[in-house]
């Protein structure tokens, strides 16, 4: 992605994405824990990291094929895949009436990353 | 003082002195001022513990630095958050009455965060569309995201803290979480407004922005009015117009930074 950004923004883009992924995973996990979910902090951060792997594949595809007609469905599928994987993991966290409150930040996180992949 | 017996037949460690009163089991459930003496006939169950009315939920046993302290502010269900967000967007009933029964920080944090994201996405989308229509190459502007993050978080935190500080100074007994929540939840209307502002008609964008300002401005004014009127209210006249001006400034910044026709670079 840094290759495709305007030169003066290349390092800013890299920093931004790195910060987004790191801080985003921590914040989403913290949210789940504070809502009373029975997850371990590092386990959840680790799982969110693994669930980004479909996005990595999608961004590779985006790098190779610059047409929006290809990248949009690929990224959409990757986002859906990541979200369903992460939500499946959350099923063990036992949040009764608060599933939406825990799932929504995860969706926001992956859609944000997907969007950055699309616009690059 | 008696010492421990060294008699091997006994394992007594402590001797009971005979001049101390013998200990007896006391029934504290029915005890009155004089222990051991029952002046009333029947015994009734002790009244359940009543916390003092209006006690701040912040009097938890944990310190501010422990996660358990903050977990008390996330004790809401999905439905509660949806209801509170609705009350913020359509300010018909009082938000603060519902909020103060169970203060939460979920909405206060995640709604501004969603607004940041929504504005970034829709702004870069509308820029992309405009530049594609004009035929020029689209280069996305990452700085818009950092600008959005800075503006929105600063607005919610700084103006919320100012409201808290000034109302506390004039004796209105505000809650800090309450003030932040008014501004946090008050951002909610900008999510649908930013989605609608993708449509490239400037008059339409102005109309949507005006609607958003009306909704969020009225909500903030009404909630702050409710906080301010807990005191003798001479502060009414000063603070609410100032807040409205600050909010108008924010809306103007939104309009020109995020909801404008993009100028191709």
């Amino acid at each position: 992605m840094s290759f495709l950004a305007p030169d003066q923004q290349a390092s800013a883009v890299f920093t931004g994405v790195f910060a987004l992924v790191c801080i985003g995973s921590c914040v989403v996990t913290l949210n789940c824990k504070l809502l009373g979910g029975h997850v371990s902090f590092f386990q959840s951060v680790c799982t969110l990291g693994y669930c980004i792997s479909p996005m990595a594949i999608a961004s590779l595809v985006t790098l190779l094929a610059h047409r929006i007609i290809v990248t949009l469905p690929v990224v959409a599928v990757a986002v859906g895949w990541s979200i369903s994987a992460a939500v499946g993991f959350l099923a063990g966290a036992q949040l009764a009436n608060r599933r939406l409150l825990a799932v929504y930040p995860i969706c926001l996180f992956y859609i944000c990353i997907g969007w950055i992949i699309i616009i690059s | 003082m008696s010492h421990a017996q060294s008699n091997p037949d006994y394992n007594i460690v402590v001797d009971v002195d005979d001049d101390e009163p013998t200990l007896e089991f006391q029934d504290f459930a029915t005890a009155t001022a004089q222990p051991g003496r029952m002046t009333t006939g029947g015994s009734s169950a002790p009244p359940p513990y009543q916390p003092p009315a209006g006690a701040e939920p912040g009097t938890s046993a944990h310190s501010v630095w422990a996660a358990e302290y903050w977990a008390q502010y996330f004790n809401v269900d999905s439905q509660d958050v949806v209801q509170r967000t609705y009350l913020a967007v359509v300010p018909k009933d009082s938000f603060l009455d519902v909020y103060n029964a169970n203060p939460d920080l979920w909405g206060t944090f995640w709604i501004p965060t969603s607004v940041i994201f929504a504005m970034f996405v829709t702004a870069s989308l509308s820029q992309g569309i405009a530049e594609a229509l004009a035929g020029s190459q689209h280069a996305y502007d990452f700085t818009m995201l950092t600008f959005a993050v800075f503006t929105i978080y600063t607005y919610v935190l700084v103006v919320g803290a100012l409201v808290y500080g000034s109302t506390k100074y004039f004796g209105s007994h505000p809650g800090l979480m309450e003030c932040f929540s008014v501004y946090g939840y008050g951002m909610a209307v900008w999510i649908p407004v930013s989605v609608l502002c993708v449509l490239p008609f400037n008059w339409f964008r102005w109309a949507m922005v005006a609607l958003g300002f009306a909704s969020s401005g009225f909500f903030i004014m009404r909630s702050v009015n409710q906080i301010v009127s807990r005191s003798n209210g001479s502060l009414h006249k000063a603070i609410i117009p100032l807040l409205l001006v600050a909010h108008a400034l924010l809306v103007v910044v939104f309009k020109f930074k995020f909801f404008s026709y993009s100028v191709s670079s």
Side-chain angles (χ1 to χ4, degrees):
Chain A
M1 267 181 53
S2 296
F3 295 145
L4 302 169
D7 282 336
Q8 62 271 30
Q9 286 193 12
S11 62
V13 168
F14 175 76
T15 312
V17 174
F18 186 76
L20 171 69
V21 171
C22 285
I23 297 178
S25 323
C26 290
V27 170
V28 170
T29 304
L30 198 64
N31 176 67
C32 188
K33 274 194 83 69
L34 285 174
L35 282 171
H38 298 128
V39 289
S40 134
F41 179 78
F42 287 108
Q43 178 187 9
S44 180
V45 170
C46 181
T47 308
L48 285 172
Y50 275 108
C51 291
I52 285 191
S53 56
M55 307 292 226
I57 299 173
S59 68
L60 201 60
V61 170
T62 312
L63 200 61
L64 298 173
H66 291 292
R67 300 209 177 286
I68 188 92
I69 197 80
V70 173
T71 59
L72 192 59
V74 168
V75 171
V77 166
V79 167
W81 184 358
S82 296
I83 292 178
S84 63
V87 169
F89 160 72
L90 255 194
Q94 293 164 5
L95 296 159
N97 295 333
R98 303 175 183 184
R99 252 179 96 80
L100 176 68
L101 300 186
V103 166
Y104 173 74
I106 294 179
C107 294
L108 198 61
F109 178 58
Y110 285 128
I111 291 176
C112 197
I113 296 179
W115 177 253
I116 290 180
I117 294 177
I118 289 181
I119 63 175
S120 66
Chain B
M1 185 73 130
S2 324
H3 296 287
Q5 301 279 344
S6 53
N7 191 333
D9 291 335
Y10 294 94
N11 285 329
I12 301 170
V13 179
V14 171
D15 272 315
V16 178
D17 289 330
D18 285 342
D19 23 68
E20 286 180 359
T22 55
L23 299 173
E24 39 180 42
F25 185 72
Q26 299 196 345
D27 189 4
F28 284 103
T30 52
T32 57
Q34 289 87 19
R37 297 188 56 185
M38 301 259 294
T39 51
T40 54
S43 61
S44 56
Y49 171 63
Q50 301 269 0
E56 285 291 310
T59 53
S60 167
H62 303 283
S63 81
V64 173
W65 304 109
E68 290 79 17
Y69 174 82
W70 297 103
Q72 69 181 313
Y73 288 117
F74 281 78
N75 199 18
V76 275
D77 292 337
S78 312
Q79 224 170 341
D80 299 332
V81 172
V82 170
Q83 180 196 20
R84 291 169 189 203
T85 312
Y86 179 73
L87 284 176
V89 174
V90 182
K92 280 192 306 185
D93 299 319
S94 165
F95 170 81
L96 282 180
D97 292 341
V98 172
Y99 179 82
N100 277 327
N102 183 15
D104 83 287
L105 274 180
W106 192 95
T108 313
F109 176 69
W110 285 111
I111 289 183
T113 308
S114 314
V115 169
I116 289 170
F117 175 66
M119 290 182 115
F120 172 61
V121 167
T122 54
S124 48
L125 193 64
S126 63
Q127 261 195 357
I129 291 176
E131 288 185 351
L133 286 178
S136 59
Q137 192 67 321
H138 169 59
Y140 68 93
D141 189 8
F142 215 97
T143 61
M144 207 179 275
L145 179 62
T146 50
F147 181 84
V149 168
F150 176 74
T151 311
I152 292 181
Y153 281 145
T154 310
Y155 179 74
V156 171
L157 287 175
V158 169
V159 182
L162 281 177
V163 168
Y164 173 72
S166 50
T167 50
K168 194 172 172 74
Y169 179 71
F170 285 100
S172 293
H173 306 290
L176 182 61
M177 296 302 158
E178 190 180 43
C179 295
F180 284 148
S181 75
V182 166
Y183 278 92
Y185 276 95
M187 287 279 129
V189 75
W190 297 107
I191 299 177
V193 166
S194 64
V195 169
L196 287 172
C197 281
V198 175
L199 297 179
F201 305 117
N202 211 18
W203 62 269
F204 181 71
R205 287 176 175 176
W206 273 110
M208 289 295 108
V209 166
L211 266 182
F213 174 64
S215 159
S216 54
F218 181 67
F219 168 70
I220 289 174
M221 260 184 18
R222 185 208 180 111
S223 305
V224 174
N225 194 31
Q226 198 174 342
I227 296 178
V228 167
S229 46
R230 293 180 198 158
S231 76
N232 296 356
S234 65
L235 189 57
H236 267 274
K237 303 181 181 72
I239 197 175
I240 293 182
L242 285 178
L243 288 180
L244 213 54
V245 167
H247 198 63
L249 275 176
L250 178 81
V251 169
V252 165
V253 166
F254 279 176
K255 174 68 180 71
F256 286 109
K257 183 71 181 177
F258 297 105
F259 302 143
S260 296
Y261 267 119
S262 65
V263 181
S264 50
S265 55

